[in-house]
Amino acid sequence: MKRALITGITGQDGSYLAELLVEKGYEVHGLVRRSSSSSTSRIDHLLTGGAGIPGALTLHAGDLLDAASLRRLVEQVLPDEVYHLGAQSDVAESFRMPEYTFQATGLATFRLLEALRSLGRSVRFYQAGSSEMFGAVGGIEQDENCAFRPRSPYAIAKVFSHQVATNYREAHGMFCANGILFNHESPRRGENFVTRKITLAVARIVAGKEERLRLGNVSARRDWGYAPEYVEAMWRILQHDVPEDFVIATGETHSVEEFAAEAFDAVGLDWREYVDHDERLERPADVERLQGNAGKAKRLIGWEATTRFRRLVRLMVEADLRFVGVEPEGVLAEA
């Protein structure tokens, strides 16, 4: 049985990845930070043991800011594969907490790789990169050969992590692979992310619990995919014979305005009647367009996105209607 360690296991991606690996028969271990606000709600069904699940899930207390705890963790778990998803991942928040973001998103990768190097055994390491690393590259489609021009402390920290993983691969011969994932969403997306903020607001407006939605820059265009498919890509990247870097994306872009329009349209409403612009929600330096080219992933690891934009938005709206206590049947407009 393979043994995997996931940092950031309680987040959107970590929870879907844990499910995938448990279903594949892995012994799964997750790093969780001890705090008064920590939540395992996304993985509670795995901790209690669902019917027919062949693997196992164990959580370990630790901290990405603490090198000693990371070293103890990897020595205890002795993983075959490590999926490093843990980070301070809120771009807007990174402008307010740049130093913490660099510690938790950048230097944490260095600490973890040093801990793994000290084991003296072969471990396959996945570094979770972000399309935000490309930043201000203009209107070109981004692939693995595209230069990075980060526009936020978060993106800068992710570029650092990408380069650190690459260096450990080249300097120490470690199996370090970078996945450069473009935006990927799901009903498990955090409420601080604009996509979930929109779909949750739609559901609350339908339920009569809210009247308005405030948004910042609605012209920004992103390449949005479905998170469960993207964690499948992570796994495939580590099953590849050699450690390489892969862009994971749909190849399509849509604006925040289009996302809002689609979400409100799903319940038969016009977004323009409910959305207000709030310049306070705009970032100091934003990225206007990100569009990925996942051709390499399709050729080498057989991965491509299948859930398209409209279906993704409706999945999230449907889930959030249920979340606020509204049965979607009879509310959702026909697709």
Side-chain angles (χ1 to χ4, degrees), residues 141-144 182 223 246-251 291-297 299:
E141 195 175 60
Q142 294 98 46
D143 63 15
E144 295 81 5
F182 281 64
D223 185 326
F246 291 90
V247 162
I248 303 299
T250 70
Q291 181 175 2
N293 180 347
K296 178 181 177 181
R299 291 193 310 272

Side-chain angles (χ1 to χ4, degrees), residues 178-233:
N178 291 293
I180 307 173
L181 273 60
F182 281 64
N183 293 63
H184 46 288
E185 319 299 318
S186 77
R188 297 183 189 176
R189 193 55 142 155
E191 295 179 22
N192 56 315
F193 290 86
V194 68
T195 50
R196 183 73 194 290
K197 180 179 179 181
I198 291 170
T199 60
L200 190 54
V202 167
R204 286 174 173 162
I205 287 170
V206 169
K209 298 179 180 180
E210 283 185 12
E211 295 181 354
R212 312 293 300 175
L213 167 64
R214 294 183 298 113
L215 295 174
N217 179 14
V218 297
S219 66
R221 302 185 67 86
R222 293 293 185 268
D223 185 326
W224 275 304
Y226 187 39
E229 295 176 2
Y230 282 49
V231 301
E232 168 79 19

